[in-house]
Amino acid sequence: LFRVLYFNQRTTGATQMTTKQLTITLPELAAGERYLCGVIDENGAVTHTVLLPGDADPAPWEAQMAWAKSIGGDLPNRIEQAMLFASFKDQFKQEAYWSNQQHASDSGYAWCQSFDGGLQIISLKDNGLRARAVRRLVIQ
């Protein structure tokens, strides 16, 4: 049983905090998978993120996006990458790994996470970087 805090904005500009208790069922993991996190939306649906096993050798961003899809996953977003660095740094080589997020103002670049120093930076999509895949499950 988890206690979840919701922050709701009032019309007066003050923040109101309410609590709601939810029972969350964690997904079953296949061999080699690692549970990363669950994010609860305002309707109580939980999106679980699971790190898939395997590490792709350096390749351009488009190729890594295709690789992740071929194994039933997606590249992690920037928030998931920060959580992976904080929780599972030992599961990564000390190199940069692609995220699934393009740079907002220049589609020739995408974001990546450095697993040696922890920085998130942008890189040309043509550069060869490593990749790990995640899968996401929504549980209502």
Side-chain angles (χ1 to χ4, degrees):
L1 190 65
F2 291 89
R3 177 164 287 169
V4 181
L5 299 178
Y6 289 95
F7 295 90
N8 300 316
Q9 198 71 4
R10 286 195 219 163
T11 56
T12 62
T15 301
Q16 177 183 359
M17 184 173 62
T18 59
T19 62
K20 181 178 180 182
Q21 292 197 12
L22 300 171
T23 301
I24 299 173
T25 304
L26 297 178
E28 289 192 33
L29 301 179
E33 292 183 340
R34 295 184 152 240
Y35 183 79
L36 179 61
C37 65
V39 177
I40 303 169
D41 70 16
E42 64 277 358
N43 300 316
V46 182
T47 300
H48 295 282
T49 303
V50 176
L51 178 65
L52 300 179
D55 193 310
D57 289 331
W61 185 76
E62 293 283 347
Q64 299 293 35
M65 291 286 285
W67 167 78
K69 287 181 184 170
S70 77
I71 63 168
D74 186 17
L75 296 181
N77 62 39
R78 292 177 62 199
I79 293 169
E80 291 164 338
Q81 283 190 319
M83 294 175 72
L84 287 165
F85 181 78
S87 301
F88 295 119
K89 182 180 175 184
D90 63 332
Q91 300 292 307
F92 293 80
K93 295 185 187 275
Q94 291 190 354
E95 297 180 33
Y97 283 74
W98 285 119
S99 79
N100 68 358
Q101 293 180 262
Q102 295 185 77
H103 189 270
S105 62
D106 190 338
S107 63
Y109 289 84
W111 287 93
C112 58
Q113 172 76 48
S114 167
F115 279 87
D116 57 351
L119 294 175
Q120 288 190 351
I121 57 174
I122 57 171
S123 179
L124 280 170
K125 289 180 177 179
D126 291 338
N127 289 338
L129 302 181
R130 302 191 76 79
R132 288 291 298 266
V134 296
R135 68 180 170 105
R136 296 178 195 91
L137 307 154
V138 178
I139 300 176
Q140 298 285 346

